[in-house]
Amino acid sequence: MNDSQQPTASGERIEPAAILWFRQRLPSLATAREFIVLFAVTGFLLLYGLVPVFGGDQLGLVGADEPRYAQIAREMLTAHSEACHAVNAKMVPHSLRGEDVRNSFHCIAAGTVTPILYGKPWLEKPALYYWRAMSFFKEFGVSDWTARLPSSSATLALVVLIFLHMRRFRPGGHLDAALITVSCVAIVSFARGASTDMQLAAPFCIGMLGWYAWYETGKKFWLFDLYFFGAAATLAKGPVAPFLALSIILLFAGLRREWSLLRRTIWWPGVMLYLIMVLPWYIAVQKRNPTFYRFFLLEQNLERFASNRYQHHQPFFFYAVVLLIGLMPWTVIALRALVDSIEVSIAEWKVRHNPSRYLGHTRAGDAFPEFLVLWALFPIVFFSFSGSKLPGYILPSIPPLTILAADYLNRIRREGLPKWLLWSHAALCAIMVFVLVLAPQHMLYETLVPSVQWLLAAAAAALGFGAIVLLIIRRWGISQVCNATLIPVLATLVFLLGFYGKELDVNYSARPLAREIQRVAPDVKLVATDQLPGSSTSAIKRDMDYGLAFYRNQPMIHYAKNGVPAAEHLLVVRANDTADLDRWLNGRVYTPLFLYESQGLEVYRVYAKQ
């Protein structure tokens, strides 16, 4: 008999305590499978068609914000590297000597305090995105796909922590919660954007989950998440993060009449952590830029909310539409889960206010649905009153709704989906496929009615995937809702980026034009346009203006503002608006280089002034 196994009185052998301890802590096969599925699906949805080694970086930077934010991070990294090189220092001191410590501090502060665009301060947003983009630029090089890694990595952290939180506090629907979150349109879209929206939403949502974990367990450790990630969110977009968090917690405490929550939420180690993380940058940027507080707090926050100064006016119901689209293909299930949670919350509120029905517990049941409902609805309602509306403002409302959807599916697992909900969900999956299959045709040819062949192909694909979702759920039950829905989601992602990524790039990004300019005129450095974007109907779009500036790493020259350069340069104008060229270039020699037909632009070579 092996000496390491001791028989019991009944003849059974007991393994030593060390081996038993080790086996108890080994992940089970089910847990290992969950992690494999989680990272495989999440990695595919976040990185396919984004990184060169996985489907290629199919789509260059689009819109005005992506290339602008990426250029700010590049210029900050350049300033930082030059300052560090000048004093021969790194961010970690070579030694503890005073000079080495001062040089390292100078290295850290240089290029990391004031965001700069084209050599001038750009104070619209705090610095978190720029810092993270700088680190990815330094590690992988400056490119459009590395500029998007801050959002992708933040989304990965959010999805993993939703999985872990639900696994710890609401086991059963934890994997579905993570996969539903990462597969809805809003999350996939913003996870691939070089923007500040996910830099706010991801840490904010992680912090809110941490706060509720503290509320449920009473362990102060969980408040670390609220303060640490709340500070990160404040460094991403400013005071809107603590305002949203405080408002949601205040509403929750008020509805549950647990006002002591506000006092107990104040955890002094957490407060100190928050201030240590946030104040140094805000103080430093104010010292270097005395107009920062007025410009950032008053104009970029209060005035942006109260007015339409930045021309982002939308109707009051705008975010209802954004929510319906952003939750796809989970919209129907998420809204059903929201209604169910509201009903549960109202019922519990009635119980709490009727002592004869109170069961004697310190809390009248599960408060998680009520918390998620408040968390989901408050940003939507609040920003609906804003004079300036952009889709990313309500991104923090998406995760609580996807969590509610997963929790709802888990609770009705034995009953199964109601028929109307099953058919509605399958139909919505079909509609999503139909629209996305037709999207490239609309983008390429700018027509609302594609050809009959494409309409038939889109209809066939929609019916096929809708039937797949319906049959899988009917055959294998509610446990396969998530797996079945992922099939059309993954397929449409491959279709859009794997088959039409390059076409979308040509029609929406400045990258192909920048490459063509470099190929045709590699010796000409300056690129100009005739008008400032937005100042005239003949001006090129802001997207192209900022995009060319990023891909050529120099600001565009605008005739209307900077005048016509005396040196040789290239001129990019709209192809149908060339009537003013003789006025601008009177006495100058210029020739057309090529027509960039996909975006309606023409490029001229303007020779040096004689």
Side-chain angles (χ1 to χ4, degrees):
M1 182 174 63
N2 191 332
D3 292 338
S4 65
Q5 295 179 336
Q6 302 298 326
T8 63
S10 61
E12 297 177 352
R13 290 182 173 83
I14 299 177
E15 292 181 332
I19 296 178
L20 184 61
W21 180 90
F22 183 72
R23 285 191 174 181
Q24 288 175 343
R25 282 154 180 78
L26 278 176
S28 65
L29 290 176
T31 302
R33 173 191 165 277
E34 288 177 347
F35 275 102
I36 291 172
V37 170
L38 173 68
F39 283 102
V41 174
T42 301
F44 190 92
L45 288 171
L46 296 183
L47 300 179
Y48 176 76
L50 177 69
V51 298
V53 296
F54 190 21
D57 52 336
Q58 297 289 351
L59 183 60
L61 299 177
V62 296
D65 287 343
E66 279 200 299
R68 181 171 57 198
Y69 292 155
Q71 181 64 21
I72 292 171
R74 169 196 266 161
E75 294 189 31
M76 291 175 70
L77 177 61
T78 300
H80 171 72
S81 300
E82 290 175 352
C84 293
H85 180 72
V87 295
N88 190 28
K90 294 184 178 180
M91 297 178 72
V92 178
H94 296 304
S95 70
L96 295 179
R97 293 189 306 123
E99 184 179 359
D100 287 342
V101 173
R102 285 192 298 271
N103 288 340
S104 290
F105 180 79
H106 174 75
C107 174
I108 293 172
T112 60
V113 175
T114 302
I116 48 176
L117 179 64
Y118 312 141
K120 298 180 180 179
W122 184 271
L123 304 174
E124 288 191 2
K125 297 291 187 293
L128 181 65
Y129 167 79
Y130 310 130
W131 293 337
R132 302 194 66 228
M134 288 167 64
S135 66
F136 284 113
F137 285 170
K138 192 171 184 178
E139 188 68 27
F140 301 109
V142 177
S143 67
D144 37 35
W145 67 271
T146 49
R148 288 167 167 158
L149 287 182
S151 294
S152 297
S153 57
T155 306
L156 175 62
L158 171 63
V159 171
V160 171
L161 284 170
I162 286 176
F163 171 82
L164 295 175
H165 176 93
M166 295 294 287
R167 184 169 177 264
R168 165 69 172 80
F169 294 100
R170 298 295 185 281
H174 50 286
L175 182 59
D176 282 357
L179 296 181
I180 291 174
T181 300
V182 77
S183 61
C184 65
V185 166
I187 299 297
V188 173
S189 301
F190 283 99
R192 293 167 169 267
S195 69
T196 59
D197 295 295
M198 192 56 75
Q199 313 305 309
L200 166 69
F204 174 82
C205 293
I206 294 171
M208 296 305 289
L209 287 175
W211 182 86
Y212 188 82
W214 162 78
Y215 172 76
E216 191 162 293
T217 64
K219 296 180 179 178
K220 291 288 189 180
F221 166 79
W222 293 106
L223 284 179
F224 170 85
D225 286 356
L226 175 67
Y227 287 100
F228 177 84
F229 290 103
T234 307
L235 288 170
K237 273 206 168 184
V240 66
F243 169 77
L244 290 177
L246 181 60
S247 299
I248 294 167
I249 293 171
L250 182 63
L251 287 172
F252 181 76
L255 287 176
R256 297 191 69 84
R257 293 189 176 181
E258 297 184 44
W259 296 108
S260 64
L261 280 176
L262 302 178
R263 173 181 53 80
R264 291 186 288 120
T265 297
I266 300 175
W267 181 46
W268 291 112
V271 173
M272 293 300 298
L273 174 66
Y274 179 89
L275 296 177
I276 289 172
M277 290 179 63
V278 169
L279 286 184
W281 180 80
Y282 277 90
I283 293 173
V285 74
Q286 172 64 21
K287 288 184 64 176
R288 298 189 182 192
N289 306 273
T291 62
F292 169 72
Y293 284 165
R294 178 188 60 80
F295 176 76
F296 176 68
L297 293 177
L298 296 182
E299 295 185 19
Q300 289 298 315
N301 284 271
L302 298 179
E303 192 171 342
R304 182 181 286 268
F305 180 87
S307 70
N308 186 33
R309 174 177 177 176
Y310 297 94
Q311 300 179 354
H312 297 307
H313 176 71
Q314 298 291 346
F316 186 80
F317 58 83
F318 174 70
Y319 285 122
V321 178
V322 171
L323 190 68
L324 294 177
I325 297 174
L327 286 170
M328 288 185 70
W330 300 100
T331 306
V332 177
I333 293 178
L335 293 182
R336 178 65 189 94
L338 176 64
V339 171
D340 180 78
S341 297
I342 292 174
E343 291 172 350
V344 169
S345 301
I346 292 174
E348 296 224 0
W349 183 83
K350 291 180 178 178
V351 169
R352 290 196 302 272
H353 289 74
N354 188 346
S356 63
R357 299 175 60 189
Y358 188 63
L359 302 178
H361 301 294
T362 56
R363 295 174 189 153
D366 187 3
F368 196 43
E370 186 175 344
F371 176 70
L372 292 176
V373 167
L374 292 173
W375 171 5
L377 294 182
F378 180 78
I380 297 171
V381 174
F382 175 74
F383 285 115
S384 291
F385 289 94
S386 175
S388 178
K389 296 182 179 70
L390 289 173
Y393 290 179
I394 65 163
L395 190 59
S397 292
I398 300 296
L401 290 170
T402 58
I403 293 172
L404 281 174
D407 189 55
Y408 173 75
L409 291 175
N410 185 53
R411 285 189 287 108
I412 66 168
R413 192 174 295 267
R414 293 184 180 180
E415 307 167 16
L417 278 181
K419 285 187 177 181
W420 71 268
L421 189 56
L422 171 59
W423 281 90
S424 299
H425 179 65
L428 190 62
C429 290
I431 292 171
M432 181 191 72
V433 171
F434 182 78
V435 171
L436 293 180
V437 168
L438 291 180
Q441 294 299 301
H442 172 69
M443 294 173 181
L444 293 177
Y445 304 113
E446 296 185 354
T447 175
L448 292 176
V449 183
S451 65
V452 175
Q453 292 86 346
W454 270 100
L455 284 171
L456 292 175
L463 289 173
F465 281 107
I468 289 172
V469 172
L470 180 66
L471 293 174
I472 289 177
I473 298 174
R474 289 188 66 178
R475 172 63 179 85
W476 285 283
I478 200 171
S479 63
Q480 296 302 311
V481 170
C482 192
N483 294 335
T485 308
L486 284 173
I487 295 174
V489 171
L490 297 175
T492 51
L493 182 64
V494 172
F495 172 78
L496 287 174
L497 295 180
F499 292 91
Y500 286 94
K502 294 301 181 183
E503 285 78 2
L504 299 178
D505 191 30
V506 168
N507 283 270
Y508 287 92
S509 172
R511 182 172 65 176
L513 177 58
R515 289 174 175 173
E516 184 65 11
I517 288 175
Q518 181 63 25
R519 186 188 68 82
V520 174
D523 55 325
V524 182
K525 302 301 180 184
L526 300 180
V527 179
T529 187
D530 54 350
Q531 298 286 344
L532 283 168
S535 62
S536 168
T537 56
S538 65
I540 65 173
K541 294 180 180 179
R542 296 169 69 242
D543 312 27
M544 184 60 67
D545 193 86
Y546 284 116
L548 285 175
F550 171 76
Y551 286 109
R552 294 186 62 83
N553 194 22
Q554 61 181 14
M556 290 281 286
I557 297 170
H558 303 97
Y559 283 2
K561 178 182 178 182
N562 311 114
V564 180
E568 183 179 19
H569 61 278
L570 301 178
L571 176 65
V572 180
V573 295
R574 292 179 58 177
N576 58 347
D577 291 314
T578 58
D580 289 335
L581 290 186
D582 289 337
R583 177 173 65 87
W584 286 114
L585 301 174
N586 185 27
R588 299 287 291 272
V589 178
Y590 63 95
T591 59
L593 277 185
F594 62 89
L595 177 67
Y596 191 66
E597 191 173 3
S598 59
Q599 296 196 39
L601 301 174
E602 193 163 2
V603 180
Y604 290 82
R605 184 168 190 155
V606 182
Y607 292 90
K609 187 176 183 179
Q610 298 298 322

